[in-house]
Amino acid sequence: MQPDATSAKPAGAAPDPAAQSSLSGSSIRLLPWLIAVAFFMESLDTTILNTAVPTIASALHVAPLSMKSVLASYTLSLAVFIPISGWMADRFGTRRVFASAIGIFTLGSFLCGISSNIHLLVACRLLQGCGGSMMVPVAGSPLCAHSRSPIWYAR
């Protein structure tokens, strides 16, 4: 069956944002808060370990200077996985990738908390950084997609 000629769009036509939106008005209003919490978790986790280095080093029975790998592993995994997260969002959908990122980040945080040696802590920080790297860029995508929605301007 051939598509109707009147309903066909030109090849270069931009999709209608209202037709693509699957979020309700209240969900769209909550979206910036969800993104802000994700940014806060990721930013806090980048810096919070610096204040706890002496305590963690003594708990793991290592010198504080040997904690450099723990500090660097999170930042390194962020740098490696941020470009991949954009591709994953395009491939699997932003909602699914964002939910997975929060789950991976939370699992990594839990595993960091129960780590018994520095090598396990580094591995868990890498996992945590993988989740954090997917949270930040993927979280901004839905906000940009819905920022021109009339719901934002109706007050």
Side-chain angles (χ1 to χ4, degrees):
M1 188 166 155
Q2 296 278 337
D4 188 298
T6 59
S7 65
K9 284 189 167 191
D16 183 19
Q20 287 184 342
S21 177
S22 64
L23 297 175
S24 68
S26 61
S27 296
I28 290 175
R29 286 187 184 97
L30 290 175
L31 189 61
W33 291 102
L34 179 66
I35 294 167
V37 168
F39 277 126
F40 176 73
M41 285 185 349
E42 194 274 328
S43 298
L44 182 68
D45 202 60
T46 302
T47 59
I48 196 68
L49 192 67
N50 292 326
T51 60
V53 165
T55 306
I56 295 172
S58 67
L60 295 177
H61 308 292
V62 295
L65 287 177
S66 64
M67 295 288 291
K68 289 187 298 186
S69 59
V70 175
L71 295 168
S73 61
Y74 182 78
T75 309
L76 181 64
S77 65
L78 280 176
V80 168
F81 290 110
I82 281 176
I84 297 169
S85 67
W87 172 82
M88 289 181 68
D90 289 342
R91 175 88 166 105
F92 301 110
T94 54
R95 191 177 290 181
R96 182 176 292 157
V97 172
F98 186 68
S100 300
I102 290 176
I104 292 169
F105 183 83
T106 304
L107 176 67
S109 297
F110 174 74
L111 293 174
C112 284
I114 62 170
S115 296
S116 58
N117 63 43
I118 193 167
H119 303 294
L120 186 58
L121 183 59
V122 168
C124 294
R125 289 284 287 177
L126 287 169
L127 178 67
Q128 193 179 32
C130 177
S133 70
M134 290 190 297
M135 270 194 307
V136 176
V138 171
S141 177
L143 184 62
C144 292
H146 295 288
S147 65
R148 293 188 181 195
S149 172
I151 293 172
W152 288 103
Y153 303 109
R155 295 229 177 202

